[in-house]
Amino acid sequence: MPSSEGWHQSEPASKRVRRESTPRDEAREGTHKQSHRRASPPDVNKFIEEAPDLFQYREKRVTQAKRAARSELSVSKGDWQKHHYAESAVLSTAGITDNVKRIHCNDISVAEFAEQFEGPRIPVVITGLTDPWPAAATWTEEQLLDKFGEHKFKVGTDDDGYGVRLRLKHFLAYVHDRDHRKDDSPLYIFDGTFGDRATSKALCQDYCMPKLFAEDLMRLAGEHRRPPYRWVVWGPARSGSGLHIDPLATSAWNALLRGHKRWALFPPGTPREAVLPKEPGLEREAVSWFTRMYPRTQAPAWPHARPLDILQGPGETVFVPGGWWHTVLNLDMTIAVTHNYASTASFSRIWRHTRKGRPKMAAKWLAALRAERPDLAALADSSEAHAHADSGPSSSSSSSSSSSSSSSSGSSSSSSSSSDSDAESRQKKTKAAS
Ligand SMILES: O=C(O)CCC(=O)C(=O)O
């Protein structure tokens, strides 16, 4: 990816799409005026083709995608709207206090970030990272439609594990359609292949790897061998990602260009059955989780760590350390990009999970590390030696569980129990990206 040097915002921030400001936004506007300026809403007609034959064609494609992505829901019986979440208060952030620290990217060095956040695994929101990206100006619905309208992005996974894809022009028409707009948990573009496909890989030129995350050790395993690691995540209000832990104990950064996301995060070690009890819908749908589960975590008698709450605005990047449970609800139309990565600070834990979950890839990775990072190869060797000497159960499997990145529209399986293997979650995430 190109470096950020020499990049300019080619469109005024005032053109950016956003919902009405909340008091929290106004407060932030004081410090990040440029990325929080009010913008006029998009011209909905641009996305909706009114010609009846085109309307029918689009409806057919959308219905096919819905049926494939959520076969348990009947489109014709209205199952997509049966919970009436569109009329509920689930998008209200009244009473939610964002309790995660903000740092500006220019105020912290890579070494300080590793010491203060990556090593101790502390979530943080970074501001300013996306300011120099072309995407800060060009990832508007209108411009994405112009450039990528014909490209089929992934909006879900079917029952056989294959990606369900929809042209962006159809997806955006779906998002703005007055009937589909009431879907409980709408379709969500959650696409891990955009960087590999001829008609979407230009998106990679629109942002750069932030210096804080640039180490990205898994790239040493080779672009085609490493697990899926980058996703564009674009979706409307009430779409989102069900509660999960990211695979192989990797950390993630999630940069939001447009719209607002609500996050809840639980620290490593939080028992799965506490935060994700076996109740229909909770696993897949962020909107159900926030409606039914979140209030329980606020009750005085809640016996576990309470979630960290983040209300992420445009221009903010959330750092999710490995092993943290997290779920995300889109509060309005959001346009974001997310990467998973491994760094020196988290290497030992990620190595243990990778060796166990992806042994072939681990071998190639280790060979590359021997050449490029002998210090880390030595760490891997010593953990290997410990693993052989250890006759008891593997300590790595209990330290955290892993799962696919999961969209609430079911673009991949949503989460795993602490007994799930990384191999299984890796498989889910790989399929999700197909
Ligand atoms: O929907 C989102 O933005 C969150 C994505 C996410 O949680 C993940 O990729 O692990």
Side-chain angles (χ1 to χ4, degrees), residues 93-339:
T93 53
I96 307 298
T97 307
D98 184 317
N99 48 19
V100 172
K101 184 176 175 163
R102 262 68 180 168
I103 49 165
H104 192 277
C105 61
N106 293 342
D107 295 339
I108 191 156
S109 68
V110 175
E112 286 165 344
F113 184 74
E115 190 189 317
Q116 293 171 31
F117 299 104
E118 275 187 328
R121 294 202 277 174
I122 296 176
V124 67
V125 179
I126 304 147
T127 58
L129 269 185
T130 62
D131 287 353
W133 294 1
T138 60
W139 284 20
T140 63
E141 290 176 67
E142 287 90 344
Q143 293 194 49
L144 292 172
L145 176 71
D146 282 346
K147 288 192 209 144
F148 304 102
E150 296 299 326
H151 183 75
K152 291 181 182 171
F153 287 93
K154 182 166 175 284
V155 295
T157 306
D158 71 15
D159 292 344
D160 297 320
Y162 291 103
V164 177
R165 293 182 166 269
L166 202 53
R167 287 187 203 280
L168 183 62
K169 65 180 185 186
H170 293 147
F171 177 78
L172 289 173
Y174 159 80
V175 164
H176 292 285
D177 179 277
R178 88 173 73 79
D179 295 323
H180 292 297
R181 263 199 325 237
K182 295 188 199 129
D183 284 356
D184 290 326
S185 178
L187 293 169
Y188 191 20
I189 288 181
F190 206 115
D191 191 319
T193 61
F194 72 95
D196 309 319
R197 296 191 175 226
T199 47
S200 57
K201 67 179 174 200
L203 286 164
C204 297
Q205 305 303 314
D206 292 342
Y207 68 98
C208 69
M209 187 74 90
K211 73 170 197 266
L212 297 178
F213 313 115
E215 199 180 14
D216 190 24
L217 291 168
M218 274 194 186
R219 93 190 124 69
L220 297 175
E223 190 64 18
H224 298 295
R225 199 176 295 272
R226 67 184 300 186
Y229 66 100
R230 56 185 173 190
W231 292 263
V232 286
V233 278
W234 304 342
R238 291 186 311 284
S239 62
S241 298
L243 193 76
H244 65 282
I245 295 174
D246 284 348
L248 303 176
T250 53
S251 303
W253 55 266
N254 185 313
L256 183 59
L257 285 317
R258 298 281 177 280
H260 300 77
K261 287 175 182 281
R262 177 179 171 190
W263 295 67
L265 301 96
F266 295 92
T270 304
R272 180 192 197 279
E273 56 283 6
V275 287
L276 205 52
K278 286 199 162 56
E279 290 174 34
L282 273 194
E283 259 198 42
R284 310 186 74 138
E285 297 176 10
V287 68
S288 308
W289 190 92
F290 276 102
T291 301
R292 286 156 42 197
M293 191 60 217
Y294 181 84
R296 296 181 217 168
T297 70
Q298 304 301 300
W302 175 252
H304 307 284
R306 292 193 203 283
L308 294 183
D309 292 298
I310 301 175
L311 297 174
Q312 183 187 17
E316 293 190 323
T317 301
V318 173
F319 165 65
V320 185
W324 278 74
W325 290 97
H326 54 287
T327 174
V328 178
L329 179 69
N330 292 318
L331 300 177
D332 49 14
M333 179 64 193
T334 58
I335 295 180
V337 58
T338 180
H339 278 219

Side-chain angles (χ1 to χ4, degrees), residues 35-112:
S35 55
H36 284 258
R37 240 176 258 160
R38 227 169 247 274
S40 34
D43 175 8
V44 166
N45 291 327
K46 243 193 135 161
F47 308 113
I48 299 185
E49 189 51 75
E50 295 298 353
D53 50 339
L54 288 174
F55 170 80
Q56 272 167 18
Y57 178 76
R58 184 184 82 227
E59 274 302 291
K60 204 168 154 191
R61 294 278 88 85
V62 168
T63 301
Q64 272 174 352
K66 282 182 162 183
R67 290 203 170 113
R70 300 289 305 272
S71 63
E72 78 280 16
L73 299 180
S74 160
V75 175
S76 54
K77 288 184 187 150
D79 284 354
W80 278 71
Q81 301 178 0
K82 68 181 172 190
H83 296 298
H84 303 286
Y85 286 134
E87 288 107 61
S88 79
V90 68
L91 297 179
S92 165
T93 53
I96 307 298
T97 307
D98 184 317
N99 48 19
V100 172
K101 184 176 175 163
R102 262 68 180 168
I103 49 165
H104 192 277
C105 61
N106 293 342
D107 295 339
I108 191 156
S109 68
V110 175
E112 286 165 344

